[in-house]
Amino acid sequence: MLKNLTFKAFTEITKTATITVDQHGGRAKCLQRLVRLDMPVPTTVALSFDTVRQIAQGKMTDVDAILDFFGETPLVSVRPSAEGADWGGPGAILNIGMNERRHAVMVQRRGEDAANAIYLRFIHTYAVQVAHLDADLFPAVRNPLRSDVAEALRIYELETDEPFPEDPAEQLAGVLRSMARAWEGTSARLLRKARGAPENAGLGLVVQRMALGVGADESGSGVMQFINSTTGRAQITGRYMSQSQGRDALADKHAAIFLTRDPRGHSLEELAPGIFDQLVGLGELARAKLREEMQIEFVIQEGELCVIDAVRVARTARANVEIAVGLAVDRIITREEALLRVPPRSLNELMHWQVNPEAVRDVLLSAIGASPGAAVGKLVFSSTRAQALAAQGEACILVKRETSPDDVRGMHAAHGVLTAKGGMSSHAAVIARGLGVPCVVGAGHIIIDRRARAMRLPDGRLFEEGTVVTLDGSAGEVLAGEAEMLEPALGEAFQTLLGWADEIRDIGVRVNADTPQDARIARTFKAEGIGLCRTEHMFFDDDRLTVMREMIFADAPEDRADALRQLLPMQREDFTRLFEIMEGLPVCIRLFDPPLHEFLPADRQGVVDLANALGRPVSDVQARIDSMTEFNPMLGLRGVRLGITVPEIYEMQAQAIFEAVIALAEAGTEVVPEIMLPLVSAQREVEILQSRIEQVAAKVRAERGAIFNYKLGVMVETPRAALKAHAIAELCSFMSFGTNDLTQMTYGLSRDDAGRFMQTYVQQGVFKEDPFHYLDKEGVGELLQIGAQRGRKANPRIVLSICGEHGGTADSIAFARDAGFNYVSCSPFRVPVARLAGAHAVLTRR
């Protein structure tokens, strides 16, 4: 009975032993796989999660029985074995079993230098990690003497009021107890929770015979891997150090030598060519049988190789793609498995410049990373200045309290954007992602002085315009100076992986594109059309802005129509270019959406300049601006409401669309445009505008003698539109759900201001995640499902899509697919992410 209990508490790792990841951890299971591959792994015993929990509670296991596996004079190490490789755990403790008797024997066999070094190392480690003494009490000694060992023993006894334990069983019990309790500590719990571990995550421990790495013949320790962790390409990397233990070779690179021949110094390949070749063979074996790129930790003990451990190679996202594709190409894993090994979100790192993860980071401030990638540039505090520097060929980082539509040109010119206000779906965040520009938002602790053209940090430091910084939109940080950067990685592996994804996914992926540049990027990333073209962004160029302002100040409908006629050829050219670039793929054009006051100046000088341009008194211009002011413009006269009350705008846009379609038809390309009405909440709104757009279509057909078709749909952004989808769908060919505004209206939250308190809400569990970043499936998601079900019941042929920023996140895409949506649409640089996420949605549900 006792033997059976002992077996359950701890198990020797053999080829046939019952070792599982969920009971003994990943390290224990990996060591068993190495044993099954006949690698030279020292004797190892695995303690289960339950055993370690009992030890933490004060119920020590039978340590004498564990030590029986290692002979009469055991010398062992203990390492953690959590279920998840990234969940952390207490540090390894080596040389357990060292005492006065073992030291004397080791002096005879391996010399006093080696014996002193091993004994002193164990005393230091035990004192700090088990007895919890101050590490400063035990200074590092490079070549310890017997007197150094005696002094360390004296300090231990002085600090603990008891002699250093001599009994190996007592030592092992102390180590196991310390490591078990460290795992259960508050700090450890919080750390592993942050790394994605469940609250009740267990810890296993492995006890292994020491391979000393010291001795008269060639002895030492090192690590070897067979790919570059940054690029993922084949390259033997690592270090080896003679007369060392553990991972000393990585910690002391001055004393360590290279693995392969290198003109910069000595190498293991030259020192021990047989061992080197053996390691290379073991690496190839591990890759083929473990189906992964592994880093091997090894020890050479007097000319004999021991494999201590093997772990999955740490890697960047770009390396992960290269590795996954390489393993699939070599038929070690399937294509499907390769796809699942690459998290969709990680592709952001490949599509943009990034700060080298190995570079030194001098972080000035941290906020919300709203658009991935990194950029180096000079600080500027106005869009005008950003455009001026861009014209001179200089890179800049645009800093604003918050951005508005008239900052779009400045954002185009800038290499990065930083705002004090905003969240994941604020104007700056949405536009930056569309442009592929790195962006950090919500840095509310900075003070921006536009007149002085400077920003001040909370610690008082002042950064004036022209100061060079690095903005990291992936990490949400601004770094001092010019950081070391990595180029985008859109090579063969990237393209191959996405090609495999396209073969599997069954949900469409379109792009949110407002400009020809956006459309060209989308074609590069193989978007299947444009799901959202926000036409208002076409009106902010200087020549168009003047006409828009003339239209706004017109006193009669015919005067508004006259002003808009000046914009007609410009809009027609805009749409023609988009249709040409997309080459017959579907293009969904959202008619004018924002409130008109966004096109009016907000400062005194702007008002004066506008009055001069219009030939009107400044007082009249200011009065008109004041009359258009709204308490809540996002819920005011915008979208379809503007289309009904100022019909000339939509009529001009519809005419421009139809004339562009005719131009493409004459050039041999058939286009069926999709015209989308924004911010719909009532069936009657659609009826009114449907009639007016059809009148424009009939007029154009008659004047041009042309035949063309178009589709009319709505953007579902209000809860009422989702609830009344059955009535609205009867008049539509498609319904596109704008999850940015729908989330804002469902929650009653301003997406531009929520970033100021959202982190607190998430930390305190009010919301699981930021609903502007991750789709709220329970609330907003239910509205999506209701709208989809009611809309499709009323009109079985209706096309359903999501075109908010959630359309580029993996969990939203899976949700949309399950809910029966036909496609998602996202910003250009999120198209590859969406393509891969679409494949994941299929594979994870098989």
Side-chain angles (χ1 to χ4, degrees):
M1 182 68 178
L2 180 61
K3 183 177 180 181
N4 192 37
L5 287 173
T6 301
F7 175 80
K8 289 181 180 179
F10 47 83
T11 306
E12 182 181 6
I13 297 179
T14 63
K15 292 182 179 180
T16 58
T18 303
I19 302 292
T20 63
V21 174
D22 61 353
Q23 282 298 313
H24 299 91
R27 174 174 267 127
K29 188 61 185 178
C30 182
L31 285 169
Q32 183 180 50
R33 289 170 179 147
L34 300 182
V35 169
R36 287 173 175 171
L37 295 176
D38 293 318
M39 291 192 185
V41 178
T43 301
T44 308
V45 173
L47 279 66
S48 70
F49 293 172
D50 290 340
T51 301
V52 176
R53 285 194 185 99
Q54 290 179 5
I55 292 173
Q57 295 167 4
K59 303 174 184 177
M60 182 54 62
T61 191
D62 188 344
V63 291
D64 288 316
I66 295 175
L67 291 175
D68 284 345
F69 287 98
F70 303 98
E72 294 183 0
T73 55
L75 195 63
V76 299
S77 65
V78 179
R79 289 181 172 83
S81 179
E83 185 173 348
D86 300 325
W87 294 355
I93 297 181
L94 312 181
N95 306 315
I96 302 162
M98 277 300 294
N99 51 27
E100 290 294 324
R101 178 185 171 194
R102 189 64 186 258
H103 177 267
V105 173
M106 195 173 290
V107 168
Q108 297 297 318
R109 291 192 57 189
R110 294 186 169 85
E112 186 166 345
D113 291 345
N116 290 340
I118 290 173
Y119 197 7
L120 186 62
R121 181 183 190 133
F122 176 55
I123 296 169
H124 285 187
T125 306
Y126 192 94
V128 174
Q129 293 188 225
V130 179
H132 303 295
L133 300 183
D134 191 335
D136 292 340
L137 294 170
F138 303 93
V141 181
R142 182 169 288 276
N143 298 302
L145 303 174
R146 184 68 179 92
S147 59
D148 295 312
V149 175
E151 176 63 11
L153 292 170
R154 186 191 70 80
I155 293 172
Y156 181 93
E157 185 170 355
L158 180 66
E159 294 294 325
T160 63
D161 293 327
E162 56 186 29
F164 190 82
E166 285 278 307
D167 181 9
E170 182 182 351
Q171 293 175 358
L172 179 59
V175 169
L176 296 179
R177 185 182 301 110
S178 173
M179 296 177 80
R181 289 178 175 172
W183 179 259
E184 297 296 335
T186 301
S187 297
R189 284 177 178 272
L190 291 174
L191 181 60
R192 63 176 176 266
K193 184 178 180 182
R195 293 173 173 172
E199 188 71 25
N200 62 343
L203 176 72
L205 295 172
V206 293
V207 183
Q208 187 178 77
R209 184 189 303 278
M210 279 297 303
L212 291 173
V214 297
D217 295 329
E218 180 53 43
S219 299
S221 64
V223 295
M224 176 183 279
Q225 65 185 52
F226 307 90
I227 57 100
N228 183 295
S229 290
T230 300
T231 67
R233 296 191 180 125
Q235 179 185 0
I236 293 177
T237 62
R239 287 289 190 274
Y240 171 76
M241 187 164 75
S242 294
Q243 305 300 315
S244 71
Q245 293 186 310
R247 302 176 78 85
D248 290 351
L250 295 181
D252 188 354
K253 292 190 177 181
H254 294 293
I257 63 174
F258 299 101
L259 296 180
T260 58
R261 288 183 174 86
D262 196 295
R264 294 172 293 175
H266 298 295
S267 69
L268 180 63
E269 188 175 10
E270 297 165 303
L271 180 67
I275 295 288
F276 176 84
D277 290 342
Q278 189 178 355
L279 281 166
V280 171
L282 293 178
E284 293 172 351
L285 179 63
R287 182 177 188 265
K289 298 299 183 181
L290 301 185
R291 306 183 325 123
E292 183 56 278
E293 291 288 357
M294 305 295 290
Q295 182 189 80
I296 296 176
E297 182 177 340
F298 65 93
V299 169
I300 301 176
Q301 182 59 52
E302 297 179 333
E304 295 293 324
L305 176 66
C306 294
V307 174
I308 304 303
D309 198 8
V311 297
R312 178 180 179 271
V313 170
R315 64 201 65 178
T316 62
R318 61 189 64 205
N320 190 42
V321 170
E322 196 81 32
I323 291 167
V325 170
L327 290 170
V329 168
D330 292 342
R331 300 194 175 185
I332 294 173
I333 63 176
T334 64
R335 292 181 175 184
E336 289 79 5
E337 189 172 355
L339 288 165
L340 289 174
R341 287 191 180 190
V342 180
R345 189 177 179 183
S346 71
L347 293 186
N348 285 318
E349 185 178 310
L350 281 73
M351 292 183 287
H352 306 275
W353 284 85
Q354 298 286 337
V355 176
N356 189 331
E358 299 179 2
V360 176
R361 301 175 75 93
D362 182 1
V363 180
L364 299 177
L365 62 89
S366 298
I368 301 170
S371 182
V376 177
K378 295 180 178 179
L379 292 175
V380 297
F381 297 89
S382 72
S383 292
T384 302
R385 184 61 179 151
Q387 291 171 268
L389 279 187
Q392 298 168 20
E394 294 192 56
C396 67
I397 306 298
L398 175 61
V399 184
K400 300 275 290 185
R401 179 164 178 74
E402 59 185 329
T403 61
S404 61
D406 57 0
D407 285 310
V408 171
R409 285 172 294 162
M411 295 175 71
H412 265 284
H415 285 189
V417 177
L418 169 67
T419 66
K421 295 182 66 176
M424 286 301 297
S425 60
S426 63
H427 178 270
V430 172
I431 299 303
R433 285 194 291 270
L435 297 175
V437 173
C439 180
V440 174
V441 301
H445 46 292
I446 65 173
I447 299 173
I448 300 172
D449 188 334
R450 290 183 60 192
R451 291 188 176 182
R453 295 194 293 186
M455 72 174 184
R456 189 179 297 278
L457 302 187
D459 61 9
R461 283 183 292 174
L462 187 70
F463 291 83
E464 296 179 336
E465 188 163 282
T467 304
V468 174
V469 300
T470 301
L471 184 137
D472 188 342
S474 300
E477 295 176 342
V478 177
L479 315 178
E482 182 175 350
E484 182 182 341
M485 305 286 279
L486 296 176
E487 292 184 9
L490 306 179
E492 184 177 352
F494 177 83
Q495 301 297 342
T496 298
L497 186 81
L498 290 179
W500 294 344
D502 290 340
E503 293 173 6
I504 290 173
R505 66 179 170 86
D506 54 9
I507 187 169
V509 177
R510 293 199 201 177
V511 68
N512 300 341
D514 309 327
T515 67
Q517 179 185 359
D518 292 341
R520 281 190 285 268
I521 294 171
R523 293 306 307 274
T524 300
F525 289 141
K526 298 184 179 179
E528 296 166 330
I530 293 177
L532 173 63
C533 173
R534 293 162 288 207
T535 54
E536 59 269 13
H537 293 158
M538 301 172 175
F539 292 98
F540 282 97
D541 288 340
D542 288 336
D543 55 343
R544 305 184 187 198
L545 186 58
T546 300
V547 178
M548 279 297 294
R549 288 173 171 175
E550 290 177 0
M551 186 274 297
I552 293 171
F553 277 83
D555 295 316
E558 54 270 22
D559 296 330
R560 287 198 295 268
D562 285 341
L564 288 167
R565 267 193 286 273
Q566 299 178 57
L567 290 176
L568 176 63
M570 302 176 191
Q571 279 273 269
R572 182 174 58 235
E573 178 61 21
D574 292 331
F575 299 137
T576 300
R577 291 174 67 191
L578 286 179
F579 293 150
E580 288 173 341
I581 293 168
M582 299 313 291
E583 296 181 319
L585 292 174
V587 176
C588 182
I589 299 169
R590 184 181 75 181
L591 299 183
F592 193 89
D593 181 46
L596 292 177
H597 69 79
E598 288 192 1
F599 293 85
L600 300 177
D603 58 1
R604 177 65 179 177
Q605 186 57 51
V607 174
V608 172
D609 292 341
L610 178 56
N612 291 333
L614 297 175
R616 290 174 177 244
V618 172
S619 58
D620 288 357
V621 172
Q622 186 63 61
R624 178 65 66 90
I625 293 174
D626 292 342
S627 71
M628 297 179 66
T629 301
E630 295 178 300
F631 289 107
N632 193 337
M634 288 300 98
L635 298 179
L637 185 56
R638 56 169 284 219
V640 69
R641 303 157 193 167
L642 191 62
I644 289 175
T645 58
V646 188
E648 296 82 9
I649 299 176
Y650 281 13
E651 290 171 2
M652 179 275 292
Q653 290 191 300
Q655 183 175 344
I657 292 169
F658 298 143
E659 290 179 356
V661 168
I662 293 171
L664 265 291
E666 292 172 349
T669 301
E670 183 180 353
V671 176
V672 180
E674 299 173 2
I675 300 175
M676 184 157 64
L677 306 177
L679 210 70
V680 165
S681 58
Q683 181 185 27
R684 182 58 182 157
E685 291 172 323
V686 182
E687 290 174 346
I688 292 170
L689 291 174
Q690 181 186 52
S691 174
R692 290 179 182 172
I693 290 170
E694 180 52 35
Q695 288 175 19
V696 174
K699 178 183 175 184
V700 173
R701 290 188 185 111
E703 291 178 349
R704 300 291 297 270
I707 298 175
F708 58 82
N709 295 309
Y710 67 94
K711 297 178 181 179
L712 184 70
V714 301
M715 196 168 184
V716 179
E717 301 167 89
T718 67
R720 191 180 194 280
L723 296 173
K724 299 295 291 183
H726 54 287
I728 295 171
E730 294 176 352
L731 304 172
C732 299
S733 297
F734 62 91
M735 297 176 69
S736 188
F737 289 72
T739 53
N740 297 346
D741 265 331
L742 187 57
T743 298
Q744 182 170 238
M745 295 187 190
T746 301
Y747 274 84
L749 283 174
S750 166
R751 66 189 189 188
D752 293 308
D753 298 314
R756 294 162 58 186
F757 60 85
M758 188 56 66
Q759 185 176 2
T760 301
Y761 259 51
V762 173
Q763 288 175 345
Q764 297 190 20
V766 180
F767 301 150
K768 292 180 181 179
E769 300 285 355
D770 182 342
F772 294 111
H773 195 183
Y774 296 94
L775 180 67
D776 166 31
K777 301 182 187 67
E778 296 176 356
V780 178
E782 186 173 0
L783 283 172
L784 290 174
Q785 290 173 321
I786 290 171
Q789 291 166 1
R790 293 181 180 179
R792 186 149 278 161
K793 184 176 181 180
N795 180 358
R797 294 179 297 176
I798 197 164
V799 174
L800 302 172
S801 67
I802 290 178
C803 65
E805 281 301 298
H806 295 99
T809 60
D811 63 328
S812 304
I813 291 168
F815 177 87
R817 177 182 180 269
D818 292 343
F821 282 69
N822 299 91
Y823 71 85
V824 296
S825 188
C826 54
S827 54
F829 285 91
R830 284 191 168 191
V831 168
V833 175
R835 290 165 62 192
L836 179 57
H840 275 227
V842 175
L843 294 173
T844 55
R845 284 158 175 75
R846 283 183 175 175

